[in-house]
Amino acid sequence: MTSTHELGHVVGGWCGGASLVDLELSPWRLPYSIHSSDPHPLLTLWSGPVLGVVVPIVFAVAIRRNATWFVADFCLLANGSYLALAWLAGDPHLDTPRLFQSGATTLSVAAYCIPTICLGYVRFRNDCIFYLSSAASRGDGNISETPDGEPD
């Protein structure tokens, strides 16, 4: 989730003419990207959560495996939750306060957060129930799929 989200910022910045100054994608650190002379900061900032959802969903549609939908649904929930929690936290280094500082409206952030959190919660919850009940019925605790994407 954090990789696609952060790479979304990088792509948005590149498309908007920003210069990438620093990028951290290590899994053991908080990922970030820093752009300098960003002529379109809203494009750069919105590209993170938008591509952070769209890219995993496109992969899930293309690959058509339950496991890829599990990841895509998690990304949907996580990106919406991140923007909502960053809004509440108000830390100026997080995306939501930076979106507001760059001119985004509360309505635009709410219009992103509400559907991604609601749909992401329902879909991810159903994925968890599916996988946990499948593992419990087998009694082995392993989550696996057959080649056609269906659980064993």
Side-chain angles (χ1 to χ4, degrees), residues 59-80:
F59 273 102
V61 167
I63 296 171
R64 298 185 319 186
R65 298 268 191 230
N66 290 336
T68 56
W69 276 110
F70 182 84
V71 171
D73 294 337
F74 173 77
C75 289
L76 185 63
L77 175 61
N79 275 281

Side-chain angles (χ1 to χ4, degrees), residues 12-19 35-44:
W14 177 74
C15 289
S19 299
H35 296 85
S36 177
S37 66
D38 190 350
H40 303 286
L42 280 177
L43 174 63
T44 303

Side-chain angles (χ1 to χ4, degrees), residues 114-132:
I114 292 169
T116 55
I117 292 170
C118 292
L119 183 61
Y121 172 76
V122 169
R123 290 188 56 86
F124 186 65
R125 180 182 180 276
N126 288 340
D127 293 339
C128 290
I129 290 169
F130 172 79
Y131 278 120
L132 292 173

Side-chain angles (χ1 to χ4, degrees), residues 20-55:
L20 183 65
V21 175
D22 194 15
L23 175 65
E24 176 63 57
L25 292 175
S26 301
W28 51 86
R29 297 188 50 167
L30 185 63
Y32 64 87
S33 57
I34 298 174
H35 296 85
S36 177
S37 66
D38 190 350
H40 303 286
L42 280 177
L43 174 63
T44 303
L45 290 166
W46 272 118
S47 294
V50 170
L51 292 178
V53 167
V54 171
V55 169

